């Protein structure tokens, strides 16, 4: 079955004055690559990666969850930013046989073949679940082995997609931003990941900017990499070096720089504001092997 991705962004990315140019740059890049782009309605902010369902398989199978992150739920003044997943998906024809029925965040989901990488912040968001029971539940719901990374407490969101990215089913790209400022933490991440994957470390041959972590938060689409950059024309030393590195990592993809500073100042980049919808190009039916666990209950 042939699949093609449609890249969605929230309409807020285009309508918010500070991110309007980012939305335009993403749209122009996708048009250039002949990748279809659409907008999500019924959303309350532009960080759509966080509240949209997570994709289990390339056949367009997704899992639902409850989006009530503590970094929004703990402050009543921020409640209006919480997007209800059901509302955001209202106009989409998604196949979602699995409802995880836990508090989850799509930014804390990195799939690499039959494994899913996430940070252990998942336990803080679901304190009623015993640790081993939660891991078993996640593996059943996501049809994957769970690889847990320690939560970088400097990141209130606790997202894994700023830490690692999949290169293929057996290799992951590890952000090198901790190597200098938190070497022990970096070694800990490396040790955990090397037990499951071949690890490629993202590093640059120049003095790294404090925001150089952003480069790992890229979007990969057929034929191209949308790479977040720190300068408007990608002329800064860090941007030039990052483009060189990603050109070596993805020799068959066009590297398209996206000026993402308006997102980076708030702790995210291109991957955070995009979401892939796999649309079937021919009539087909999903596998009967996918678990239906909509009736899963929290432990007492």
């Amino acid at each position: 079955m042939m699949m093609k991705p449609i890249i969605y962004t929230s309409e807020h990315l285009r309508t918010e004055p500070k991110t309007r140019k980012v939305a335009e740059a993403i749209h122009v890049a996708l048009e250039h690559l002949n990748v279809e782009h659409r907008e999500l309605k019924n959303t309350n902010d532009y960080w759509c990666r966080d509240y949209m369902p997570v994709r289990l398989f390339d056949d367009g199978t997704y899992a639902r969850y409850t989006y009530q992150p503590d970094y929004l739920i703990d402050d009543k003044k921020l409640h209006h930013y919480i997007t209800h997943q059901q509302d955001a998906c209202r106009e989409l024809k998604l196949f979602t046989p699995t409802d995880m029925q836990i508090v989850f965040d799509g930014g804390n989901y990195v799939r690499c073949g039959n494994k899913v990488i996430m940070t252990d912040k998942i336990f803080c968001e679901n304190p009623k679940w015993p640790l081993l029971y939660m891991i078993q539940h996640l593996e059943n719901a996501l049809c994957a082995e769970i690889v847990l990374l320690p939560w970088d407490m400097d990141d209130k969101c606790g997202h894994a997609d700023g830490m690692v990215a999949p290169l293929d089913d057996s290799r992951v790209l590890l952000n090198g931003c901790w190597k200098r400022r938190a070497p022990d933490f970096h070694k800990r991440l490396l040790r955990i990941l090397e037990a499951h994957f071949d690890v490629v470390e993202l590093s640059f041959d120049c003095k790294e900017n404090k925001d150089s972590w952003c480069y790992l938060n890229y979007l990969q689409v057929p034929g191209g990499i949308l790479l977040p950059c720190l300068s408007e024309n990608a002329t800064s030393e860090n941007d030039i070096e990052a483009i060189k590195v990603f050109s070596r990592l993805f020799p068959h993809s066009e590297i398209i720089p996206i000026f993402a500073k308006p997102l980076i100042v708030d702790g995210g980049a291109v991957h955070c504001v995009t979401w892939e919808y796999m649309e079937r190009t021919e009539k087909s039916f999903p596998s009967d092997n996918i678990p239906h666990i909509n009736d899963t209950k929290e432990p007492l």
Side-chain angles (χ1 to χ4, degrees):
M1 178 179 59
M2 298 297 293
M3 303 294 297
K4 64 174 184 177
I6 299 174
I7 303 302
Y8 275 86
T9 54
S10 166
E11 61 182 344
H12 288 281
L13 191 69
R14 174 180 52 82
T15 58
E16 290 285 343
K18 75 173 185 176
T19 59
R20 188 174 298 149
K21 289 185 177 180
V22 179
E24 181 181 352
I26 291 173
H27 177 75
V28 169
L30 294 173
E31 286 281 313
H32 171 72
L33 294 168
N34 294 313
V35 176
E36 189 172 351
H37 168 254
R38 299 177 188 171
E39 282 191 337
L40 293 165
K41 311 298 181 184
N42 310 307
T43 62
N44 294 332
D45 71 31
Y46 46 71
W47 304 108
C48 61
R49 179 71 58 175
D50 300 343
Y51 50 74
M52 294 302 289
V54 294
R55 179 158 53 95
L56 303 184
F57 305 106
D58 286 339
D59 67 354
T61 304
Y62 293 81
R64 291 168 285 152
Y65 52 88
T66 301
Y67 179 67
Q68 292 182 339
D70 54 9
Y71 53 85
L72 295 180
I73 206 73
D74 289 348
D75 188 343
K76 290 184 178 180
K77 293 181 293 184
L78 300 179
H79 283 190
H80 65 284
Y81 288 116
I82 299 175
T83 293
H84 298 289
Q85 194 174 92
Q86 185 175 357
D87 293 339
C89 296
R90 190 182 303 161
E91 299 177 9
L92 302 176
K93 295 180 180 179
L94 283 178
F95 179 63
T96 55
T98 300
D99 185 346
M100 296 164 64
Q101 295 196 348
I102 60 172
V103 175
F104 197 77
D105 190 323
N108 195 22
Y109 177 89
V110 176
R111 190 164 197 111
C112 188
N114 62 354
K115 296 181 174 66
V116 167
I117 304 168
M118 62 182 65
T119 73
D120 54 16
K121 188 174 186 286
I122 186 70
F123 301 117
C124 298
E125 295 169 330
N126 298 275
K128 292 182 181 179
W129 289 75
L131 187 148
L132 293 179
Y133 193 89
M134 168 63 83
I135 293 175
Q136 181 182 20
H137 173 75
L138 287 168
E139 291 187 335
N140 289 338
L142 300 176
C143 303
E145 178 186 347
I146 303 301
V147 178
L148 284 172
L149 297 181
W151 172 19
D152 176 8
M153 302 295 284
D154 290 335
D155 171 23
K156 65 180 180 180
C157 299
H159 288 171
D161 71 346
M163 304 175 79
V164 291
L167 292 175
D168 50 46
D169 284 356
S170 62
R171 296 187 306 152
V172 296
L173 184 63
L174 172 62
N175 205 327
C177 62
W178 296 281
K179 204 166 188 176
R180 185 182 69 257
R181 64 179 175 87
D184 289 341
F185 185 77
H186 178 84
K187 290 177 183 177
R188 189 177 173 194
L189 295 176
L190 194 59
R191 187 164 57 248
I192 294 169
L193 290 169
E194 284 181 335
H196 302 274
F197 309 100
D198 293 327
V199 180
V200 178
E201 296 186 64
L202 183 61
S203 60
F204 308 106
D205 292 331
C206 64
K207 183 178 180 180
E208 294 187 22
N209 184 287
K210 66 179 179 61
D211 291 327
S212 63
W213 57 264
C214 73
Y215 299 115
L216 188 123
N217 201 260
Y218 61 90
L219 177 68
Q220 183 174 14
V221 295
I225 299 291
L226 275 60
L227 183 68
C229 286
L230 298 169
S231 55
E232 290 203 43
N233 298 310
T235 55
S236 71
E237 183 181 17
N238 275 237
D239 289 345
I240 293 171
E241 178 66 16
I243 292 170
K244 289 180 182 178
V245 169
F246 275 82
S247 295
R248 291 195 297 267
L249 286 171
F250 300 95
H252 303 297
S253 295
E254 182 177 355
I255 310 302
I256 302 180
I258 304 291
F259 176 58
K261 193 69 174 180
L263 304 175
I264 294 165
V265 295
D266 289 330
V270 177
H271 191 263
C272 295
V273 296
T274 53
W275 178 76
E276 302 90 352
Y277 171 47
M278 303 302 291
E279 183 176 63
R280 292 177 174 84
T281 56
E282 60 184 67
K283 188 174 181 180
S284 61
F285 297 92
S287 170
D288 291 333
N289 295 324
I290 301 168
H292 292 246
I293 59 171
N294 297 331
D295 58 349
T296 302
K297 304 298 183 184
E298 284 194 16
L300 297 177

